[in-house]
Short mmCIF file of all heavy atoms in Angstrom, two decimals:
data_model
loop_
_atom_site.label_atom_id
_atom_site.label_comp_id
_atom_site.label_asym_id
_atom_site.label_seq_id
_atom_site.Cartn_x
_atom_site.Cartn_y
_atom_site.Cartn_z
N GLN A 1 -80.90 -47.24 19.71
CA GLN A 1 -79.55 -46.85 20.12
C GLN A 1 -79.54 -45.59 20.99
O GLN A 1 -78.83 -45.51 21.99
CB GLN A 1 -78.68 -46.62 18.89
CG GLN A 1 -78.42 -47.86 18.06
CD GLN A 1 -77.58 -47.55 16.85
OE1 GLN A 1 -78.03 -46.88 15.93
NE2 GLN A 1 -76.35 -48.03 16.85
N VAL A 2 -80.35 -44.62 20.59
CA VAL A 2 -80.33 -43.32 21.28
C VAL A 2 -81.01 -43.40 22.63
O VAL A 2 -80.45 -42.99 23.65
CB VAL A 2 -81.00 -42.24 20.41
CG1 VAL A 2 -81.16 -40.94 21.19
CG2 VAL A 2 -80.19 -42.00 19.15
N ILE A 3 -82.23 -43.93 22.67
CA ILE A 3 -83.01 -43.92 23.90
C ILE A 3 -82.37 -44.78 24.97
O ILE A 3 -82.51 -44.53 26.17
CB ILE A 3 -84.47 -44.35 23.64
CG1 ILE A 3 -85.10 -43.41 22.60
CG2 ILE A 3 -85.29 -44.34 24.92
CD1 ILE A 3 -85.10 -41.95 22.98
N GLY A 4 -81.65 -45.82 24.53
CA GLY A 4 -80.94 -46.66 25.50
C GLY A 4 -79.80 -45.94 26.20
O GLY A 4 -79.28 -46.44 27.20
N LYS A 5 -79.42 -44.75 25.70
CA LYS A 5 -78.28 -44.03 26.28
C LYS A 5 -78.66 -42.70 26.92
O LYS A 5 -77.79 -41.91 27.27
CB LYS A 5 -77.21 -43.81 25.20
CG LYS A 5 -76.57 -45.11 24.71
CD LYS A 5 -75.44 -44.84 23.73
CE LYS A 5 -74.80 -46.13 23.25
NZ LYS A 5 -74.12 -46.88 24.31
N VAL A 6 -79.96 -42.44 27.04
CA VAL A 6 -80.39 -41.24 27.76
C VAL A 6 -80.79 -41.63 29.16
O VAL A 6 -81.04 -42.81 29.46
CB VAL A 6 -81.57 -40.54 27.03
CG1 VAL A 6 -81.15 -40.08 25.65
CG2 VAL A 6 -82.78 -41.45 26.96
N PRO A 7 -80.87 -40.68 30.10
CA PRO A 7 -81.18 -41.03 31.49
C PRO A 7 -82.53 -41.75 31.62
O PRO A 7 -83.50 -41.41 30.95
CB PRO A 7 -81.23 -39.65 32.18
CG PRO A 7 -80.39 -38.77 31.32
CD PRO A 7 -80.57 -39.26 29.92
N GLU A 8 -82.55 -42.77 32.47
CA GLU A 8 -83.80 -43.49 32.71
C GLU A 8 -84.82 -42.56 33.33
O GLU A 8 -84.50 -41.67 34.11
CB GLU A 8 -83.55 -44.68 33.66
CG GLU A 8 -82.85 -45.84 32.99
CD GLU A 8 -82.85 -47.07 33.88
OE1 GLU A 8 -83.78 -47.20 34.70
OE2 GLU A 8 -81.93 -47.89 33.74
N GLY A 9 -86.09 -42.78 32.96
CA GLY A 9 -87.16 -41.97 33.50
C GLY A 9 -87.37 -40.66 32.76
O GLY A 9 -88.28 -39.90 33.10
N SER A 10 -86.55 -40.38 31.75
CA SER A 10 -86.70 -39.14 30.99
C SER A 10 -87.84 -39.31 29.98
O SER A 10 -88.34 -40.41 29.76
CB SER A 10 -85.41 -38.78 30.26
OG SER A 10 -85.14 -39.75 29.25
N ASP A 11 -88.25 -38.22 29.37
CA ASP A 11 -89.36 -38.26 28.42
C ASP A 11 -88.89 -38.27 26.98
O ASP A 11 -89.65 -37.97 26.06
CB ASP A 11 -90.30 -37.08 28.64
CG ASP A 11 -89.62 -35.73 28.36
OD1 ASP A 11 -88.39 -35.70 28.20
OD2 ASP A 11 -90.35 -34.73 28.32
N TYR A 12 -87.62 -38.64 26.75
CA TYR A 12 -87.09 -38.59 25.39
C TYR A 12 -87.80 -39.56 24.44
O TYR A 12 -88.02 -39.24 23.28
CB TYR A 12 -85.58 -38.88 25.40
CG TYR A 12 -84.78 -37.67 25.81
CD1 TYR A 12 -84.36 -37.50 27.13
CD2 TYR A 12 -84.47 -36.67 24.89
CE1 TYR A 12 -83.64 -36.38 27.52
CE2 TYR A 12 -83.75 -35.54 25.26
CZ TYR A 12 -83.34 -35.41 26.58
OH TYR A 12 -82.64 -34.29 26.96
N SER A 13 -88.15 -40.74 24.94
CA SER A 13 -88.86 -41.68 24.08
C SER A 13 -90.20 -41.11 23.62
O SER A 13 -90.56 -41.20 22.44
CB SER A 13 -89.10 -43.00 24.82
OG SER A 13 -89.82 -43.89 24.02
N LYS A 14 -90.92 -40.49 24.55
CA LYS A 14 -92.23 -39.93 24.21
C LYS A 14 -92.08 -38.76 23.23
O LYS A 14 -92.86 -38.62 22.29
CB LYS A 14 -92.94 -39.48 25.48
CG LYS A 14 -94.38 -39.05 25.27
CD LYS A 14 -95.08 -38.80 26.59
CE LYS A 14 -95.22 -40.08 27.39
NZ LYS A 14 -96.02 -39.88 28.63
N ARG A 15 -91.06 -37.93 23.43
CA ARG A 15 -90.85 -36.80 22.54
C ARG A 15 -90.46 -37.28 21.14
O ARG A 15 -90.91 -36.73 20.13
CB ARG A 15 -89.78 -35.87 23.11
CG ARG A 15 -90.26 -35.14 24.37
CD ARG A 15 -89.10 -34.56 25.17
NE ARG A 15 -88.38 -33.55 24.41
CZ ARG A 15 -87.16 -33.13 24.73
NH1 ARG A 15 -86.53 -33.65 25.78
NH2 ARG A 15 -86.57 -32.20 24.02
N TRP A 16 -89.63 -38.28 21.07
CA TRP A 16 -89.26 -38.90 19.78
C TRP A 16 -90.52 -39.40 19.09
O TRP A 16 -90.74 -39.17 17.90
CB TRP A 16 -88.28 -40.05 20.04
CG TRP A 16 -87.78 -40.77 18.83
CD1 TRP A 16 -88.52 -41.44 17.90
CD2 TRP A 16 -86.41 -40.91 18.42
NE1 TRP A 16 -87.71 -42.00 16.94
CE2 TRP A 16 -86.40 -41.69 17.24
CE3 TRP A 16 -85.18 -40.47 18.94
CZ2 TRP A 16 -85.23 -42.04 16.58
CZ3 TRP A 16 -84.02 -40.82 18.28
CH2 TRP A 16 -84.04 -41.59 17.11
N GLU A 17 -91.34 -40.11 19.85
CA GLU A 17 -92.57 -40.70 19.33
C GLU A 17 -93.53 -39.64 18.82
O GLU A 17 -94.19 -39.79 17.78
CB GLU A 17 -93.24 -41.50 20.44
CG GLU A 17 -93.78 -42.83 19.99
CD GLU A 17 -93.98 -43.70 21.19
OE1 GLU A 17 -94.99 -43.49 21.87
OE2 GLU A 17 -93.12 -44.54 21.47
N ASN A 18 -93.66 -38.56 19.57
CA ASN A 18 -94.55 -37.48 19.16
C ASN A 18 -94.11 -36.89 17.82
O ASN A 18 -94.94 -36.55 16.96
CB ASN A 18 -94.59 -36.38 20.23
CG ASN A 18 -95.32 -36.81 21.49
OD1 ASN A 18 -96.08 -37.79 21.47
ND2 ASN A 18 -95.08 -36.13 22.58
N ALA A 19 -92.79 -36.76 17.65
CA ALA A 19 -92.27 -36.24 16.38
C ALA A 19 -92.59 -37.20 15.23
O ALA A 19 -92.99 -36.77 14.15
CB ALA A 19 -90.76 -36.02 16.48
N GLU A 20 -92.44 -38.49 15.47
CA GLU A 20 -92.73 -39.48 14.44
C GLU A 20 -94.22 -39.49 14.10
O GLU A 20 -94.61 -39.57 12.93
CB GLU A 20 -92.30 -40.87 14.88
CG GLU A 20 -92.56 -41.93 13.83
CD GLU A 20 -91.97 -43.28 14.16
OE1 GLU A 20 -91.54 -43.47 15.31
OE2 GLU A 20 -91.96 -44.15 13.27
N GLU A 21 -95.05 -39.37 15.12
CA GLU A 21 -96.49 -39.38 14.89
C GLU A 21 -96.92 -38.15 14.08
O GLU A 21 -97.80 -38.22 13.22
CB GLU A 21 -97.25 -39.42 16.21
CG GLU A 21 -98.75 -39.60 16.06
CD GLU A 21 -99.45 -39.84 17.38
OE1 GLU A 21 -98.79 -40.27 18.34
OE2 GLU A 21 -100.66 -39.61 17.44
N ALA A 22 -96.27 -37.00 14.36
CA ALA A 22 -96.62 -35.77 13.64
C ALA A 22 -96.29 -35.88 12.16
O ALA A 22 -97.01 -35.34 11.31
CB ALA A 22 -95.89 -34.58 14.25
N LEU A 23 -95.21 -36.58 11.83
CA LEU A 23 -94.78 -36.68 10.43
C LEU A 23 -95.32 -37.91 9.72
O LEU A 23 -95.51 -37.89 8.51
CB LEU A 23 -93.25 -36.69 10.35
CG LEU A 23 -92.52 -35.43 10.79
CD1 LEU A 23 -91.01 -35.60 10.63
CD2 LEU A 23 -92.98 -34.24 9.97
N GLY A 24 -95.56 -38.98 10.47
CA GLY A 24 -95.88 -40.26 9.84
C GLY A 24 -94.60 -41.02 9.58
O GLY A 24 -93.52 -40.44 9.42
N SER A 25 -94.71 -42.34 9.50
CA SER A 25 -93.53 -43.19 9.41
C SER A 25 -92.66 -42.89 8.19
O SER A 25 -91.44 -42.79 8.29
CB SER A 25 -93.95 -44.67 9.41
OG SER A 25 -92.83 -45.51 9.31
N ASP A 26 -93.28 -42.74 7.02
CA ASP A 26 -92.48 -42.54 5.79
C ASP A 26 -91.74 -41.21 5.82
O ASP A 26 -90.54 -41.16 5.50
CB ASP A 26 -93.39 -42.61 4.57
CG ASP A 26 -93.92 -44.01 4.31
OD1 ASP A 26 -93.36 -44.96 4.86
OD2 ASP A 26 -94.90 -44.13 3.56
#
C-alpha cells in the first residue's frame, strides 16, 4: 500500500527492505 503511493524511482522500497532485514521478519 505504501510503496505504491510514493514517487516512482525513489529508494523507499529499498530502505523499507533494509529495515526489515535488520530486524528479521518476526
Side-chain angles (χ1 to χ4, degrees):
Q1 294 179 291
V2 172
I3 302 303
K5 294 185 180 295
V6 298
E8 285 191 27
S10 67
D11 64 349
Y12 281 96
S13 178
K14 187 172 295 185
R15 290 163 63 196
W16 181 300
E17 222 161 79
N18 290 342
E20 181 172 12
E21 187 172 339
L23 294 181
S25 179
D26 290 344

